[in-house]
Amino acid sequence: MPLKLGILGIDHGHIFGMLGHMLSRGCTCDGYWTDGPAVTEAKFREVHPALEMYETADRVLDDPEVALVLISAVPEDRAALAIRAMEAGKDVMVDKPGCTTHAQLHALMACQEQTGRIWSVNFSERFQVPAVTRASELVAQGVIGEVIQTLGIGPHKQNLKTRPDWFFERARYGGILCDIASHQVDQFLHFTGSTDAEVTHASVQNATRPDLPGFQDYGEMALRSGKAHGFVRVDWFTPDGLPTWGDGRLFIQGTEGFIELRKYTDIGQPHRTDSLYLVNREENVRIDCADEPLPYFDRLIADVEDRTETAMPQAHAFKVMELALNAQSMAEAR
């Protein structure tokens, strides 16, 4: 029987990837609830005209056939909605960041332990990037030796005219390191094989919009585990000349070589995505990864059905958000 989905919140555009990938794998969905007007709503109705907009979240939570709830509400609201869904017997796929405070994280951990439900954060910069699939295979094969460091950058265009008010309110979006940098923390843990780490440095800044004191347009952090080091830079400085929203890159340094991923574009070339550059003792190559699969979604469906953790270990999801929140707190305490 196809897995039935419910939706709580469509406030961020990531809902399109979350829902689209699950539907493409045979899942079904009857409708969605969102808390008031969302900037995505007109496009969402256009892309998914058959879905009914529910007046209350209970239409999703009380439906016994809904097995997995997708949540892309305002970041501050995601934890409470996820807890309601888990308490209603549903598994959860939530947009990043999965929560915006340590208190929310602790409540999520307690609820997940009590209910035994799945709380999965869709870190789209890993799970929806074909080049990352190939990089994961190459690292697992040992082609660059032991990974000792990652450098992840996540630049974005501001697109201020299309941003809702909550985008500039610190309490609502959680801060730039909690929000964007959770992607890079996820990739650091994944590629270094680390289950724990510490934040050794963190900083945030608002360099361009003093009229919006809650906005943070730059953030950086350093990580250290028992196996490796990591550095993260995220920002809202992508210039209009770039043909996409950001030149997101990941550098993976091994003891016998390195990999660079140019995920969303390749500057100085005709626009192309999903480039993987590999250099080791035998090779110096560019690999086109556009046709690589995205296994996260199939694995999550299997996890819901089989009660397994093949898409992402539950402890990993919690650890990523813990480290991102630790970095945000450290940066703002400076």
Side-chain angles (χ1 to χ4, degrees):
M1 180 179 297
L3 196 71
K4 185 173 181 180
L5 311 172
I7 300 172
L8 298 178
I10 60 170
D11 294 271
H12 197 290
H14 286 160
I15 188 61
F16 292 99
M18 295 164 65
L19 178 59
H21 282 292
M22 296 300 282
L23 292 178
S24 73
R25 286 154 173 81
C27 296
T28 65
C29 185
D30 291 341
Y32 68 98
W33 171 85
T34 193
D35 187 12
V39 295
T40 61
E41 194 158 340
K43 181 180 177 181
F44 191 84
R45 288 175 175 269
E46 179 182 345
V47 175
H48 300 288
L51 297 190
E52 179 183 355
M53 184 174 71
Y54 300 145
E55 292 185 1
T56 69
D58 290 338
R59 285 285 302 277
V60 172
L61 299 174
D62 292 343
D63 186 341
E65 296 182 355
V66 169
L68 179 68
V69 174
L70 311 185
I71 298 175
S72 191
V74 175
E76 183 186 32
D77 300 334
R78 293 173 188 172
L81 291 170
I83 288 171
R84 288 183 63 188
M86 287 189 285
E87 290 177 341
K90 318 297 185 185
D91 294 316
V92 170
M93 180 211 293
V94 61
D95 188 10
K96 66 81 212 163
C99 54
T100 56
T101 69
H102 285 92
Q104 288 182 356
L105 178 61
H106 296 156
L108 284 162
M109 295 173 70
C111 181
Q112 190 280 325
E113 182 177 8
Q114 179 180 12
T115 62
R117 309 316 302 178
I118 295 169
W119 184 77
S120 185
V121 183
N122 178 14
F123 294 112
S124 56
E125 291 192 23
R126 175 157 69 104
F127 297 139
Q128 293 179 213
V129 176
V132 177
T133 302
R134 186 72 177 119
S136 296
E137 294 172 350
L138 292 171
V139 168
Q141 292 166 10
V143 299
I144 60 170
E146 181 183 354
V147 175
I148 59 171
Q149 199 259 359
T150 66
L151 166 61
I153 61 173
H156 289 63
K157 286 184 178 178
Q158 290 188 7
N159 292 330
L160 298 182
K161 293 182 180 180
T162 65
R163 301 295 184 181
D165 291 343
W166 62 259
F167 180 80
F168 305 101
E169 299 172 8
R170 164 63 182 82
R172 296 289 274 160
Y173 73 89
I176 192 170
L177 294 178
C178 170
D179 180 15
I180 301 177
S182 61
H183 283 303
Q184 283 71 33
V185 175
D186 163 68
Q187 291 164 79
F188 166 78
L189 294 177
H190 171 71
F191 280 106
T192 65
S194 300
T195 57
D196 199 3
E198 64 174 321
V199 178
T200 60
H201 162 76
S203 180
V204 296
Q205 184 180 10
N206 180 356
T208 59
R209 297 306 302 266
D211 56 315
L212 299 168
F215 184 54
Q216 296 170 356
D217 55 22
Y218 178 83
E220 64 182 33
M221 60 187 292
L223 294 158
R224 178 175 62 199
S225 75
K227 298 182 176 183
H229 295 262
F231 187 80
V232 174
R233 191 204 83 206
V234 291
D235 65 68
W236 292 97
F237 295 146
T238 295
D240 291 340
L242 199 73
T244 188
W245 55 267
D247 182 17
R249 299 193 191 189
L250 175 66
F251 302 79
I252 309 169
Q253 182 64 55
T255 54
E256 299 179 19
F258 64 87
I259 289 171
E260 178 188 348
L261 303 184
R262 301 184 187 181
K263 300 178 181 180
Y264 308 113
T265 192
D266 203 343
I267 61 173
Q269 306 284 340
H271 181 48
R272 62 187 183 186
T273 64
D274 291 294
S275 295
L276 185 153
Y277 294 88
L278 167 66
V279 181
N280 61 15
R281 293 176 179 176
E282 294 85 27
E283 296 182 280
N284 175 22
V285 296
R286 173 190 176 267
I287 301 173
D288 183 351
C289 301
D291 294 330
E292 292 287 337
L294 301 175
Y296 167 77
F297 302 95
D298 296 294
R299 291 172 180 172
L300 184 58
I301 292 170
D303 289 342
V304 171
E305 295 173 343
D306 301 333
R307 312 317 298 168
T308 50
E309 296 186 8
T310 63
M312 176 171 52
Q314 185 62 74
H316 175 93
F318 288 138
K319 182 57 65 174
V320 171
M321 289 314 310
E322 176 190 341
L323 292 171
L325 289 165
N326 288 350
Q328 189 70 48
S329 297
M330 179 185 291
E332 293 177 344
R334 290 170 61 92

